[in-house]
């Protein structure tokens, strides 16, 4: 794990986990509409789901009601576990249906071809190697498995927002646990070798610095 994400002090991990738990509520309320639509189009036949960079577990409420579901939440920050576990229980998952694994997207701690779905929201901004993480997503998915993603990406070249993002990028990486503001993640997902990619773009007016978002579903 160290190769892809140097260890942070415990106090930093806890501070970031608490900031995500408390600071993202208005963001989550703002994106709830399109998250609901996206997760509704997620087939519901998924029994084994991996959440990449699960964080505090804000997505469970959109899908955890499915029967016979087992969710593996992978995150390098161990302090996320208590929040994610609380969110899993609140969403109706049995305690035995959620496993937290400390790990990184670049080296997922699960076997090849074992997952029906991988979910990743606001994660590829933070991993060290986006392309390697996408190859890992494909590796752990079963053939026909789905990768559901929501990622914030660089604004349009030449726009004032894009200029602001490049100025603030180093600060964002420092204060937001390695999060980059200027990645072209949509392009990388489109060219990662999935058999089918459905990709959409939207804006998040109130937190425009992490706007636009790309979201959709890719199939292995
Ligand atoms: C902005 S948070 C998003 C968390 C959650 N997915 C959400 O939508 O709120 C980014 C998450 O990615 C995790 N992360 C950072 N580096 C990672 C890596 N290399 N692999 C997987 N997760 C990583 C962080 O610990 C954090 O929980």
């Amino acid at each position: 794990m160290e190769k892809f994400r140097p260890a942070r002090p415990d106090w930093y991990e806890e501070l970031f986990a608490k900031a995500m738990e408390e600071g993202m509520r208005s963001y989550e309320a703002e994106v709830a509409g399109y998250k609901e639509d996206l997760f509704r189009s997620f087939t519901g036949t998924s029994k084994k789901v991996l959440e990449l960079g699960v964080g505090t577990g804000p997505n469970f409420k959109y899908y955890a009601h499915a029967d016979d579901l087992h969710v593996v939440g992978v995150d390098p920050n161990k302090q996320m576990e208590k929040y994610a576990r609380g969110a899993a229980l609140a969403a109706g998952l049995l305690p035995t249906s959620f496993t937290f694994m400390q790990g990184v997207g670049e080296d997922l701690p699960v076997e090849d071809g074992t997952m029906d779905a991988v979910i990743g929201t606001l994660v590829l901004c933070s991993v060290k190697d986006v392309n390697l993480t996408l190859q890992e997503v494909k590796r752990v998915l079963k053939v026909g498995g789905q990768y559901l993603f929501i990622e914030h990406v660089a604004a349009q070249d030449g726009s004032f927002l894009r200029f602001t993002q490049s100025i603030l990028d180093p600060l964002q990486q420092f204060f937001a646990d390695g999060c980059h503001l200027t990645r072209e993640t949509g392009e990388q997902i489109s060219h990662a070798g999935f058999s089918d990619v459905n990709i959409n773009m939207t804006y998040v007016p109130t937190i425009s610095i992490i706007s636009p978002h790309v979201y959709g579903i890719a199939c292995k």
Side-chain angles (χ1 to χ4, degrees):
M1 204 171 80
E2 284 275 313
K3 182 174 159 199
F4 298 107
R5 187 178 182 273
R8 276 66 158 154
D10 283 349
W11 65 263
Y12 184 95
E13 302 270 69
E14 177 55 42
L15 191 68
F16 187 65
K18 205 167 172 34
M20 288 299 297
E21 171 75 1
E22 291 176 8
M24 293 297 275
R25 290 198 186 115
S26 60
Y27 164 84
E28 286 297 333
E30 189 171 353
V31 297
Y34 84 83
K35 265 197 173 182
E36 262 165 36
D37 289 344
L38 183 62
F39 280 86
R40 201 175 300 123
S41 57
F42 184 49
T43 61
T45 54
S46 298
K47 302 299 177 204
K48 290 197 79 179
V49 173
L50 184 144
E51 271 231 27
L52 172 65
V54 64
T56 60
N59 299 324
F60 296 142
K61 57 180 172 291
Y62 297 107
Y63 67 91
H65 44 78
D67 292 336
D68 300 339
L69 185 69
H70 189 94
V71 182
V72 178
V74 175
D75 203 292
N77 183 348
K78 188 85 178 71
Q79 304 304 325
M80 295 292 185
E81 180 174 3
K82 54 184 175 297
Y83 298 110
R85 197 165 286 289
L89 288 177
L93 267 183
L94 296 172
T96 49
S97 300
F98 175 66
T99 307
F100 181 92
M101 297 182 87
Q102 194 174 19
V104 289
E106 293 91 338
D107 187 18
L108 287 171
V110 299
E111 299 291 315
D112 297 4
T114 49
M115 295 290 147
D116 295 303
V118 173
I119 294 170
T121 61
L122 311 184
V123 181
L124 296 181
C125 53
S126 299
V127 302
K128 182 172 176 193
D129 189 329
V130 176
N131 288 326
L132 183 54
T133 301
L134 289 168
Q135 295 315 308
E136 279 291 276
V137 168
K138 281 199 309 179
R139 179 184 68 77
V140 303
L141 279 173
K142 296 177 183 172
V143 174
Q146 294 178 306
Y147 167 45
L148 184 155
F149 57 89
I150 302 176
E151 296 292 346
H152 68 86
V153 296
Q156 196 179 3
D157 259 349
S159 64
F160 180 68
L161 179 55
R162 179 71 174 76
F163 171 74
T164 313
Q165 286 173 333
S166 25
I167 301 288
L168 294 180
D169 203 23
L171 283 177
Q172 175 80 358
Q173 287 174 43
F174 183 77
F175 287 109
D177 199 20
C179 168
H180 294 69
L181 293 173
T182 57
R183 287 186 167 170
E184 310 275 357
T185 310
E187 299 296 313
Q188 287 172 285
I189 294 171
S190 297
H191 295 111
F194 288 97
S195 66
D196 182 48
V197 182
N198 177 292
I199 190 160
N200 308 278
M201 186 176 272
T202 190
Y203 286 83
V204 185
T206 56
I207 320 185
S208 59
I209 200 68
I210 59 159
S211 199
H213 281 19
V214 291
Y215 66 97
I217 295 180
C219 288
K220 176 167 170 179

